[in-house]
Amino acid sequence: MSGRGNADAIGMAFPLPVLTTRRILAIAAAGIAVVGISMVFLATGRISLEMGAGIACTANMLGGIVAFAAYLRSWRGTLGYQRAVSRTIAVACAAWSTGCGLYIAFLLSGGSVLEPAAWSQAGFLLAYPCWYRVLWLLRQPVVGMNGVGRVSTLSIELASTGVFAVLAIGLLWYAPLPPGTNIALLVPVALDIVLVAGLWHAVRRASLDRASVYPWLAAGFVVLLICDALSSFLIARGAVGLLGFAMAGYSVALALLALSAGREIRARESARSGERVTGAIGAAGLAGVAPATALVPAAGVSALWVLGGILALRMYDLMATQGGSDQDALTGLLDERAFGRHAGGLLAGASGREPVALVAVDINEFGQWNSVNGFAAGDDLLADIAERCASTTLGPGTWGRIGADRFCWVGRVHDVDQAREWTRACVDSASSAADGLTARGACVVCPDDAATIANAMAAVDESLTAAKESERSMVAFDRGRLDGAAHEGTYSASFRTRRDRVASVLADPSAIRTVFQPIVLLTDLSVVGHEALSRFNRDPQRGPDIWIAESQQVGLGLELEAECLRRAVTFHGERPPNTYLSINASPQLIMSGMLHRDLPNGPLDWLLIEITEHDRVRDYVALADTLADLRERGARVAIDDLGAGHSTLQHLMRLGPDCTKLDRSLVESIDSDPAKQALVRSMVAFSRELGSSLVAEGIETQAELACLRTLEVGYGQGYLFRHPLPGFLAQIDSVETRTAAVRTTSLSLAEAAATVTQERKKG
């Protein structure tokens, strides 16, 4: 059973209450009230210190159970990365509740609050590895550097954390107590310091609105640190009468963790901002070395200074990579290369819900003006224009100089209309400083217009060309529509011709033909499903992959993909009994909402959705959430082209597919390639561990079929069984019979070879 199935089984065996925000807060308030009452009884002498601690610990155990239940519920509704985070936090909360139980058992056995045994703290300590694992998972989407950079960054952060820990622990150390007792009291504090420091590094570039998981986790861990520090301080000094404040705080921390369940996990900012935060952390740590030496024993002073020296060297290397070389000498903005790095980082995190815009400004006829007025005046004018552009009121973002008289801003926007508005504002600011010259602007919104920085900059150039030739002050790329601007540039004319060609295919009902290729059970060749494929009846005659690639280049990729899908699903009622229909859908199409719109109402237990895109998925959480809606209606999910690249493995790990399809490059000549056989054998075992069926694509020879059967691959499709043709098959004749039928056809060998070659190009 898959992880999702296990979670559902747990939910059925132990029905979970609906843990609304109000209920969680009510439970936390009840826990705090119980702790407060017990502390009043303790202060008046009605109960012993141990009994008061036991009551408080019972209330905290209830809070841990509530947090565990909240995350167990959110775990059941998620996949991939967010699922791993939820599951790990649930385990941590369960460990914390177990620790409360152990501590209560310790008190019942006659233990003292002032002298806790090591075993009584075991459950609490077991929660920390889980929380550290959570922080590492949260950090992954925003660690976008190479190995050397990662080591450098981590060394700065760990060294700074060590200095902060020395400062905090030195202040809490209580000299009258034996060193062993001090160490025992400070272990939770030290763990919390590492926890909070790790949390800071994980969330520093994250969304901190209430819909995000980060602020709730941050508040919970900070409260936990305060409670542990306060408890250690009070116990060390014997001020047990105030211990209730710390005990009540644990209920608050667990309530905050429960409130974080089910909230969004997403990264927002770029790697460059993260490097600057790392520099600030390192500077603070370096400044804390000297005060820390006054708080440690003499034997530790040398070690601290060595740590400070290492920190200083790492800081020097970091500052060297962030020096003035990234700035344009004339304007002070980022130079073209640095701007490309920064914009590329932002575009990597762009999604439909959090789009990123490039706003470009170009000065008309600046070269002629510069030759008349002189280069010194031209430099002054460019500097003034750059300053005015940078001072224009836009959202958080960064300006760069990307050409002699061209400037560009990159940052997040709500939609293309806001990008247009900001572009007009920038053009007005630039024109006001241009000494009689006019400016033109362009905006490109990603990922709708482009997925990479190279394509985005090409779209910027296309839009500025359109603005110049149509004598308009601003043009938005808008998926190649260019705001209706008509122009005849070389590249632009080619773009418009190609776009019109794709648009004509969309407008012609006879231009797209749906064909089907059977998917068979390899043991007996029974048909279990059919994959729907598209063929294009349009000149130039070429394969569907070329048509789809061109449609993406001209901004009609989703429209063409949706049209192919729309025509395929109209045939689902003609399927043979007990078979399914497999359709191809890119992550972009799935998250756009077009797939939901074009699928028929009712159950989708007849549908298999193949994730086809090779490009990197920007937001696996959003993709998994969208697929979850379809899965609830019965649809299954497959990962296409397994083994063709890194992206398919990412799909496999993060989406939990019901089916995986081996790429045809692994199947071709597998009978004579031991390396391919070893790789496929491992994929068979891997798919079994995931509870996912495995389909081999592109089977063309009996030798390949025999080898795949030996490797225990369950399902397959390919020309050996049938070429993609209109209509469905209820069953497959024996392979030998079909091979003989091909030999007795009236086609010549040359004609047969040409037919196979043409079908391969189409497929």
Side-chain angles (χ1 to χ4, degrees), residues 422-435:
W422 288 356
T423 304
R424 291 191 185 95
C426 293
V427 169
D428 291 343
S429 295
S431 298
S432 66
D435 193 19

Side-chain angles (χ1 to χ4, degrees), residues 66 75 86 126 179 185 189 211 222 252 275 289 304 312 332 427 463-464 518 520 527 535 564 591 594 607 617 638 743:
V66 170
W75 168 27
S86 297
L126 287 176
L185 290 172
V189 179
V222 169
V252 175
E275 291 177 0
V289 170
L304 263 179
V427 169
S463 302
L464 288 173
V520 304
V527 176
R535 298 294 181 258
C564 293
M591 291 189 288
M594 293 182 180
L607 180 65
V617 175
R743 291 197 186 101

Side-chain angles (χ1 to χ4, degrees), residues 376-694:
D379 289 347
D380 291 340
L381 178 60
L382 290 176
D384 190 20
I385 293 173
E387 184 177 354
R388 289 176 182 262
C389 287
S391 62
T392 304
T393 303
L394 307 178
T398 299
W399 278 93
R401 185 185 182 192
I402 60 173
D405 56 351
R406 183 173 294 182
F407 308 94
C408 194
W409 174 90
V410 63
R412 298 199 178 275
V413 295
H414 294 305
D415 49 35
V416 67
D417 290 334
Q418 186 181 62
R420 284 191 179 98
E421 179 183 346
W422 288 356
T423 304
R424 291 191 185 95
C426 293
V427 169
D428 291 343
S429 295
S431 298
S432 66
D435 193 19
L437 297 177
T438 59
R440 65 182 184 274
C443 62
V444 174
V445 178
C446 304
D448 289 345
D449 294 337
T452 65
I453 184 60
N455 290 340
M457 296 308 292
V460 165
D461 186 69
E462 173 76 2
S463 302
L464 288 173
T465 301
K468 181 178 181 179
E469 296 189 5
S470 60
E471 298 182 352
R472 295 171 58 174
S473 62
M474 191 280 297
V475 166
F477 188 76
D478 195 18
R479 300 179 66 186
R481 298 183 179 92
L482 298 172
D483 285 342
H487 56 286
E488 300 298 333
T490 303
Y491 174 75
S492 302
S494 171
F495 182 94
R496 189 162 299 282
T497 300
R498 291 182 290 127
R499 183 181 175 86
D500 290 343
R501 184 163 54 210
V502 175
S504 69
V505 171
L506 290 170
D508 186 355
S510 64
I512 301 176
R513 178 170 56 99
T514 303
V515 295
F516 303 93
Q517 187 173 47
I519 301 170
V520 304
L521 183 65
L522 294 186
T523 54
D524 61 5
L525 302 185
S526 59
V527 176
V528 297
H530 291 80
E531 181 178 1
L533 302 168
S534 296
R535 298 294 181 258
F536 293 84
N537 300 323
R538 176 71 61 171
D539 290 329
Q541 295 294 325
R542 50 188 181 171
D545 54 334
I546 300 177
W547 277 106
I548 291 174
E550 183 173 76
S551 69
Q552 292 171 344
Q553 293 167 3
V554 299
L556 292 174
L558 292 183
E559 287 81 356
L560 184 62
E561 187 181 354
E563 183 63 25
C564 293
L565 183 147
R566 186 180 304 113
R567 300 188 185 195
V569 298
T570 60
F571 293 93
H572 82 277
E574 303 176 16
R575 295 171 295 108
N578 301 317
T579 63
Y580 61 83
L581 180 64
S582 177
I583 61 172
N584 297 289
S586 66
Q588 292 79 8
L589 179 71
I590 294 170
M591 291 189 288
S592 71
M594 293 182 180
L595 180 61
H596 289 69
R597 182 194 65 193
D598 295 330
L599 290 176
N601 297 325
L604 297 177
D605 51 358
W606 51 269
L607 180 65
L608 179 70
I609 303 171
E610 295 188 24
I611 310 295
T612 60
E613 185 77 17
H614 286 271
D615 290 343
R616 177 184 173 190
V617 175
R618 309 300 178 191
D619 192 343
Y620 274 102
V621 175
L623 177 59
D625 288 344
T626 306
L627 288 172
D629 295 336
L630 298 171
R631 282 175 155 174
E632 288 180 359
R633 296 174 57 190
R636 295 182 297 150
V637 173
I639 301 303
D640 202 11
D641 301 331
L642 180 62
H646 174 71
S647 61
T648 55
L649 295 179
Q650 289 288 327
H651 295 349
L652 191 64
M653 291 185 292
R654 299 192 178 205
L655 298 179
D658 305 286
C659 175
T660 51
K661 304 190 75 173
L662 286 174
D663 186 68
R664 64 195 307 175
S665 63
L666 292 178
V667 175
E668 184 179 7
S669 302
I670 190 174
D671 55 291
S672 59
D673 193 330
K676 289 183 179 179
Q677 294 174 23
L679 184 56
V680 170
R681 190 178 293 110
S682 67
M683 290 180 176
V684 170
F686 187 36
S687 64
R688 286 175 180 169
E689 289 292 327
L690 291 178
S692 174
S693 58
L694 192 64

